[in-house]
Amino acid sequence: MPADLQEAVQVVSHVLPFRANEYVMEQLIDWSNIPDDPIYRLVFPHRDMLHADEYEALRDLVLFKKDDAAIARQVHAIRMRMNPHPAGQMTHNVPRVNDTPLKGLQHKYKETVLFFPSSGQTCHAYCTFCFRWPQFVGMDDMKFDARETTELVSYLKAHPDVTDVLITGGDPLIMNTRSLTEFIEPLLAPELAHIQNIRLGTKSVAYWPQRFVTDKDSDDLLRLFERVVKAGKNLAIMGHYSHAVELRGEMAQRAVKRIVSTGATLRMQGPLIRHINEDPRSWAELWTTGVRLGAIPYYMFVERDTGPSEYFSLPLARAHEIFQAAYQMVSGLSRTVRGPSMSAFPGKVAIDGVVNINGEKLFALQFLQARNPDWVRKPFFAKFDEKATWLDHLVPAFGKEKFFFETEDDHSQRAPQAKVIPISVAQRAQGKSCENTHSAA
């Protein structure tokens, strides 16, 4: 790497997490094309991720003054400027029991609960755009992590309308199979028959496909998948793919085939990112290759308004153009994909198109998922803005002051209502035992 790129990594990684592994370095990055190679851009920090004045000030502190206290202050100021927890994750998504927040859980949508196991709080490599970057940089007061499933199970028993549990992180598949089993098996209990779908959010399918093929416990992992399916649950592997190159290799394709052979489903999702995957042909190749191997194209997301979003974000109008162009290149089997979708505070908002109504150019939008279920699939319109990159930048059409979801005094915009859930002494003891097991792991 040239000296200027090495310097950027050394400086910017004080603010944002940096981690790569052997597979990414040797199999995915084209080193003859750096810094423009998309996977290099995806993994390695770049100086333009910070404002110019921020970079120069931090560079001076890191390389010359070497003042740890001053570095910490500067880094903290930059991180807080970067909107570390978007979409109400800390304020509205965390459920409360007995007026106490449940650590390691989020409950934004009625039927889906997110669970963050403490031993899945890292990844095989870090994406530079990751919206959960605070999980990885020591911001403990902004971390979601749970050491065991006692409170999760109790919460689920008290919420029979929840059908889906998404185990995420970090990446739960950074765990060995024994540890992952301890988090999944409690969800198979007869008392949780209303849990129909167990999802695992993971980037390992792209960054370490060996997890499903050649790791020492990869066969055990597939047997775990089979047990979940045999128990009558749908096991959905939510595979994060950012570029077609991540699914071109033999190991990556073998991983997909082995996953789907267990009866689990593999759904493909990822955000549209400037500098990385702006080419519609890459998306079309990714989706069609996935379908051929048995995977299901699921979401194209819009880059969230967090972290170095100014570096990565694209105008919504451009995002729709890229999605439409890619969509036109594939058959109906790949058109299960939805997007471009913004995971904003009120819900997942898809850009359906750009239309002209009564001579006014508008964005046509709809909720694919929402805090209030009544909002789902309810079309609405915003004034066309060629520079807008997020929902907050849009203005309602037809002279209205607010969008319909901003005018409703709806309880679903707040955190789920607290319930008193008794947790027995035996359950707490079991939880501590599980915690000790994970600490040892």
Side-chain angles (χ1 to χ4, degrees), residues 382-400:
K383 292 183 179 180
F384 179 82
D385 183 344
E386 64 180 7
K387 296 181 180 180
T389 60
W390 195 247
L391 183 64
D392 293 348
H393 303 162
L394 299 179
V395 176
F398 313 125
K400 296 183 179 180

Side-chain angles (χ1 to χ4, degrees), residues 236-439:
I237 309 303
M238 316 305 290
H240 294 257
Y241 293 94
S242 304
H243 194 276
V245 69
E246 295 173 330
L247 199 50
R248 288 175 187 160
E250 178 188 2
M251 183 67 70
Q253 295 194 8
R254 286 178 64 191
V256 175
K257 291 181 178 179
R258 281 172 64 86
I259 290 170
V260 299
S261 72
T262 66
T265 57
L266 172 60
R267 294 181 181 267
M268 310 170 68
Q269 59 186 28
L272 176 60
I273 304 292
R274 187 194 299 271
H275 307 298
I276 292 173
N277 53 21
E278 298 173 70
D279 185 355
R281 292 169 295 184
S282 174
W283 285 98
E285 178 189 341
L286 178 64
W287 297 335
T288 54
T289 303
V291 166
R292 176 172 57 82
L293 297 170
I296 304 168
Y298 189 49
Y299 268 117
M300 176 197 280
F301 290 113
V302 174
E303 165 65 352
R304 288 199 183 197
D305 57 339
T306 182
S309 58
E310 296 167 346
Y311 178 81
F312 285 123
S313 61
L314 286 163
L316 299 177
R318 177 62 181 148
H320 177 261
E321 289 175 358
I322 293 171
F323 178 84
Q324 185 178 38
Y327 202 78
Q328 292 174 352
M329 297 179 189
V330 300
S331 75
L333 292 177
S334 295
R335 292 183 179 178
T336 52
V337 67
R338 297 176 291 181
S341 172
M342 294 174 277
S343 292
F345 175 80
K348 290 185 173 69
V349 179
I351 306 162
D352 278 344
V354 177
V355 299
N356 280 279
I357 299 178
N358 295 331
E360 187 176 0
K361 192 174 184 180
L362 309 170
F363 283 118
L365 308 162
Q366 67 161 308
F367 281 101
L368 300 176
Q369 183 60 283
R371 293 185 184 276
N372 183 344
D374 292 339
W375 299 346
V376 175
R377 300 291 293 185
K378 186 174 181 178
F380 63 102
F381 298 90
K383 292 183 179 180
F384 179 82
D385 183 344
E386 64 180 7
K387 296 181 180 180
T389 60
W390 195 247
L391 183 64
D392 293 348
H393 303 162
L394 299 179
V395 176
F398 313 125
K400 296 183 179 180
E401 293 185 1
K402 295 182 177 181
F403 292 110
F404 76 91
F405 54 87
E406 295 176 317
T407 60
E408 294 187 13
D409 182 19
D410 192 276
H411 69 85
S412 62
Q413 293 198 58
R414 300 189 291 273
Q417 185 176 1
K419 290 189 177 184
V420 177
I421 302 176
I423 299 178
S424 68
V425 175
Q427 284 178 308
R428 292 188 183 279
Q430 179 184 359
K432 290 181 179 179
S433 174
C434 185
E435 178 178 340
N436 292 337
T437 299
H438 286 296
S439 297

Side-chain angles (χ1 to χ4, degrees), residues 165 167 180-181 183-188 195-200 220-237 262-265:
V165 175
I167 303 175
L180 182 61
T181 300
F183 286 109
I184 289 180
E185 282 195 336
L187 304 178
L188 307 182
I195 302 302
Q196 302 171 13
N197 306 300
I198 298 173
R199 311 185 200 180
L200 298 175
D220 295 334
L221 179 64
L222 298 184
R223 300 297 82 77
L224 171 63
F225 290 179
E226 290 173 348
R227 290 205 304 277
V228 174
V229 174
K230 188 176 181 179
K233 311 290 187 182
N234 170 43
L235 179 63
I237 309 303
T262 66
T265 57

